[in-house]
Amino acid sequence: MAIPLGPIARSRALGAAIGGFLAGLDRRVLLLASGGLSHDPPVPTLASAPAAARAASSTRTDGARGPHRPPATGGGRRRGIRRGCRIVPAAEPGLGRRPAGLLDTGNLAAFDGWTNDRIAAEAGNSAHEVRTWVAAFAALATAGPYRTGNHYYRPAPELIAGFAIRTAVPV
């Protein structure tokens, strides 16, 4: 996801349009959504980061000053980002329960008024990918009511993230 982020209602409308198209295929279809549904690693923006985190995250691997992007295989920048994240307070536990609950109930229109600030407050700083989940569930909802299952989550602190799966089927 990148700025400018469109309204979440647009993501729901896109999903509904995709679902309408898929319904006309007269076939079984698997929909997948990925991205941060409840995701708030303590990764600051450089503008708002404490000075120590800013310095750790922007360290060049070649010792020079200024902007630099080392090759993807280099681990220096990743190590610096991890150091910077340890300086920033960890995210509040339990973020994302409300978005997941709305997906479970099928009340997708409840997302329509959510602003980018509300998404961050409800689901986490890096959770704007919730739009992909809303779009996929909206596509499914065009077939009628659904029920969710397989509510799985595993934290991955070494990645400053987690892994989640949620399935849904028409009822």
Side-chain angles (χ1 to χ4, degrees), residues 105-118:
T105 66
N107 185 11
L108 304 175
F111 283 107
D112 288 354
W114 285 35
T115 63
N116 292 333
D117 288 341
R118 180 157 181 206

Side-chain angles (χ1 to χ4, degrees), residues 62-139:
D62 61 2
R65 292 189 153 301
H68 176 61
R69 290 189 169 232
T73 57
R77 176 131 173 100
R78 284 189 297 266
R79 282 190 299 277
I81 290 171
R82 286 189 187 119
R83 278 193 311 271
C85 290
R86 283 192 293 272
I87 295 165
V88 178
E92 175 187 336
L95 284 171
R97 288 199 175 115
R98 183 159 166 82
L102 290 174
L103 294 174
D104 291 342
T105 66
N107 185 11
L108 304 175
F111 283 107
D112 288 354
W114 285 35
T115 63
N116 292 333
D117 288 341
R118 180 157 181 206
I119 291 169
E122 297 277 357
N125 229 6
S126 300
H128 291 281
E129 297 94 345
V130 72
R131 289 167 169 80
T132 64
W133 292 69
V134 169
F137 277 83

Side-chain angles (χ1 to χ4, degrees), residues 18-27:
I18 291 169
F21 171 79
L22 296 174
L25 296 179
D26 194 32
R27 293 177 175 243

